[in-house]
Amino acid sequence: MDFTTWEPVYGRILDDFGFDRTGDERARDALADLVAPFDRDRLDWAGATVAVCGAAPTLDDELDRLDDPEVDVVVAASTAADAVRDAGFDLDLMVTDLDKNPETAVELTESGVPVAAHAHGDNLPAVREWVPRFDTDHVLGTTQAAPVGPVVNWGGFTDGDRAAFIADELGADRLVFAGWDFDDPTVDPMKARKLRWAERLLRWLERRRGERFSVLDGRRDGIDPLP
């Protein structure tokens, strides 16, 4: 997805939350100074079935979905990366804004597993603290603002839905989901609002792909559509 397509939706997110675009841009620029261009050819997922793992409490009960022989690639958002690895599954990409388990991201890059590290207005200190510890060869820098230098924007807002947008950009043929709960009662009000946006963004993505994500079954009629 190019930024021209993403920007109107991004503007609506900023307006809804009252976020400052300049804060996103400041964090993006800091990230751009710390990462190098990522060779996307190493993540050629054309034709692949990609499992997108969220960090909801249901994940442990749904990890058996990764045993499906049709699953070719496993992407995990935030702390889902720990659950996936603890269960003995290989991980192909971690997607994180560094807010919960940055030590895992460091370990993954050191072992050659790519990490999509995200910069936004609220995590500039984390970007400056943690990204220099990563093995730069295995870091994909991402932003929700306009892309700059080595930092890309392929769509997405939360770690989870951003993982799905990344999989789409990299050519995934089919997306399957584990560890998603848009009604998670354990989250705070801000996170609950972000989950509403994650739901809307996934609905937008499935419409663009001409696909139906099982994680949205029974929910589509209640989702405020995006253009």
Side-chain angles (χ1 to χ4, degrees), residues 55-57 100 181-196:
K100 291 187 176 68
D181 184 357
F182 298 111
D183 302 314
D184 186 349
T186 68
V187 302
D188 62 31
M190 174 62 82
K191 181 61 176 179
R193 289 177 65 194
K194 290 181 177 180
L195 288 174
R196 296 281 77 76

Side-chain angles (χ1 to χ4, degrees), residues 42-191:
R42 63 185 291 196
L43 298 179
D44 181 4
W45 297 344
T49 293
V50 177
V52 182
C53 299
T58 58
L59 178 59
D60 287 343
D61 294 330
E62 298 173 357
L63 283 172
D64 59 346
R65 297 177 187 177
L66 307 188
D67 281 323
D68 186 333
E70 293 187 359
V71 170
D72 306 298
V73 173
V74 177
V75 181
S78 186
T79 56
D82 296 313
V84 167
R85 294 199 305 155
D86 289 347
F89 294 100
D90 292 332
L91 183 61
D92 296 283
L93 178 71
M94 177 185 182
V95 179
T96 178
D97 67 356
L98 312 171
D99 68 338
K100 291 187 176 68
N101 57 340
E103 300 91 347
T104 298
V106 173
E107 181 183 342
L108 286 169
T109 65
E110 289 176 343
S111 64
V113 176
V115 170
H118 189 70
H120 57 70
D122 291 336
N123 77 340
L124 179 56
V127 168
R128 288 174 169 163
E129 176 181 1
W130 288 100
V131 174
R133 306 185 192 188
F134 296 168
D135 184 329
T136 307
D137 289 342
H138 308 294
V139 180
L140 170 66
T142 68
T143 178
Q144 56 207 30
V148 166
V151 179
V152 305
N153 182 343
W154 295 336
F157 176 49
T158 73
D159 289 339
D161 64 81
R162 189 181 316 111
F165 277 83
I166 289 172
D168 173 71
E169 175 71 21
L170 294 173
D173 181 64
R174 177 171 169 250
L175 303 184
V176 298
F177 297 83
W180 287 72
D181 184 357
F182 298 111
D183 302 314
D184 186 349
T186 68
V187 302
D188 62 31
M190 174 62 82
K191 181 61 176 179

